[in-house]
Amino acid sequence: AWAVWIPQITALQASSEQATDLPDELRINFDFQQPGGLREIMAPMSKAIAEKQPVDYAPFKAELLRLADQYPTVLILNQFVAFYANQRTKEGMAKDELVAELQAFARSRNTGFAAAAQKEIDKLGIKDRPIDIAFTAVDGRQVDLKDYRGKVVLVDFW
């Protein structure tokens, strides 16, 4: 029975690709499948990551930027920003270098993609900002962590 449906599905997919009224959220899926598209780029990347081999992220980054420019309203691309930042961090990429790369994403005309990139940039910088916490200790003392800057502090909340 499946063999009967395959030609119909193939014909439907071909006509969908040509449809002028197809929303970008669906059209991008066809773009993913094209030769040289994101799916083809990610296959060897995923294999290299799994095998802990070096990965060339340049084609992936270039394709993400192209897709974000071509599909400025599609939100599915946002997930790839976090994946990219996470993988590059795991590989030990210098923070400044990763921030510079993410800034290229943050300049995208796809506002969701740009916001996801800015979120990753902010996450990278959070370790550089001191935590401002002030509270009343169990014994009634007022404690402000600003008074302990430069010292190791353990705060245990229960």
Side-chain angles (χ1 to χ4, degrees):
W2 182 249
V4 174
W5 284 98
I6 291 176
Q8 293 177 1
I9 291 170
T10 303
L12 181 60
Q13 182 176 359
S15 66
S16 295
E17 289 180 42
Q18 304 306 318
T20 57
D21 61 342
L22 190 68
D24 283 348
E25 287 77 8
L26 296 175
R27 187 171 306 284
I28 196 170
N29 290 318
F30 295 122
D31 214 335
F32 283 171
Q33 310 301 325
Q34 297 300 318
L38 200 57
R39 184 176 204 167
E40 189 175 292
I41 291 168
M42 285 194 72
M45 261 181 52
S46 298
K47 183 178 179 192
I49 290 168
E51 295 174 355
K52 299 189 182 340
Q53 299 295 318
V55 178
D56 178 12
Y57 287 97
F60 179 72
K61 181 182 169 190
E63 182 64 1
L64 281 182
L65 289 168
R66 184 191 73 78
L67 290 169
D69 187 52
Q70 185 169 344
Y71 300 99
T73 61
V74 175
L75 299 178
I76 194 170
L77 295 171
N78 301 4
Q79 66 188 343
F80 295 107
V81 176
F83 167 78
Y84 182 81
N86 186 39
Q87 288 304 125
R88 300 299 281 183
T89 300
K90 281 182 184 178
E91 289 182 351
M93 180 181 234
K95 184 176 88 172
D96 293 344
E97 189 178 349
L98 181 55
V99 167
E101 289 201 5
L102 289 170
Q103 285 172 339
F105 289 176
R107 289 188 295 272
S108 171
R109 65 187 207 122
N110 182 315
T111 55
F113 187 75
Q118 188 58 54
K119 181 178 177 182
E120 293 300 321
I121 291 168
D122 293 345
K123 281 175 25 181
L124 288 169
I126 200 156
K127 292 178 187 175
D128 298 334
R129 292 189 304 264
I131 299 173
D132 290 328
I133 298 177
F135 57 91
T136 303
V138 177
D139 63 4
R141 291 180 297 121
Q142 293 299 313
V143 179
D144 189 342
L145 291 187
K146 288 179 186 175
D147 299 335
Y148 296 94
R149 293 267 158 84
K151 298 178 181 163
V152 176
V153 177
L154 173 65
V155 180
D156 186 9
F157 293 97
W158 71 91

